[in-house]
Amino acid sequence: VPAARSDRAGLFKAGDEIIFYNAAAKQLAKIDIANAAVIAINVPDNIRPFKTALAYDNNVIALVGDNTLDLLDIGNGKITNKDLGAAPVKNNDIFTSYAKNLYTFSATDNAIIRYRENELANPQPWLKEDYNLAKTYDLLVDAQIYLLTDLSI
């Protein structure tokens, strides 16, 4: 949802949990639909400012900032601070993850960038073919890549 991302708040699914985030307030919460409840997730003090949040794996939330990545294990509250290399793209506020790799894109630079799990400081262009990303709003990666363009898939 582009509007939610630009407000630095949104929802994502991590395993069986639905997670709400508000980056400006450094807040995370689980949405308990069955009990109509919102349950705050303890956010450690050493979380750095972040722009977006997403599932890294079933129990770990990735909090992505300007060239930073904080991995929060929601099971034990442990935080791992990592640094991301500067992506060779502009305006990379939208991220997705797959198999512990992070992906972002730039419509301006017509590029999709992959941050590999063990090489986060060395992001690489991922697109091998020539695609026009000028009207792309979002992406999702699993074994395939899905682009939301012109509000269609």
Side-chain angles (χ1 to χ4, degrees), residues 29-144:
K30 294 180 186 178
I31 308 297
D32 182 347
I33 294 172
N35 296 307
V38 176
I39 304 160
I41 295 173
N42 183 38
V43 178
D45 292 336
N46 61 333
I47 292 274
R48 296 173 288 187
F50 62 96
K51 299 185 291 186
T52 192
L54 57 140
Y56 191 67
D57 68 20
N58 287 342
N59 295 314
V60 177
I61 297 172
L63 305 168
V64 182
D66 289 324
N67 299 327
T68 63
L69 172 66
D70 291 341
L71 299 174
L72 174 61
D73 186 317
I74 58 177
N76 63 21
K78 181 182 175 190
I79 186 79
T80 304
N81 302 110
K82 297 186 176 270
D83 292 320
L84 296 176
V89 298
K90 300 179 204 77
N91 305 320
N92 57 328
D93 288 349
I94 296 174
F95 282 81
T96 191
S97 67
Y98 176 66
K100 295 188 178 181
N101 295 319
L102 295 176
Y103 299 84
T104 188
F105 75 95
S106 170
T108 308
D109 295 322
N110 208 42
I112 295 176
I113 303 301
R114 176 174 57 186
Y115 294 83
R116 291 181 181 219
E117 176 186 13
N118 295 319
E119 299 176 29
L120 292 169
N122 188 26
Q124 298 294 317
W126 192 51
L127 273 181
K128 304 297 183 216
E129 297 85 17
D130 187 24
Y131 288 101
N132 183 353
L133 301 176
K135 295 182 180 180
T136 301
Y137 296 94
D138 206 348
L139 82 157
L140 174 71
V141 177
D142 60 14
Q144 304 292 319

Side-chain angles (χ1 to χ4, degrees), residues 1-10 21-25 51:
V1 178
R5 291 184 189 246
S6 66
D7 292 336
R8 311 250 193 242
Y21 73 93
N22 179 335
K51 299 185 291 186

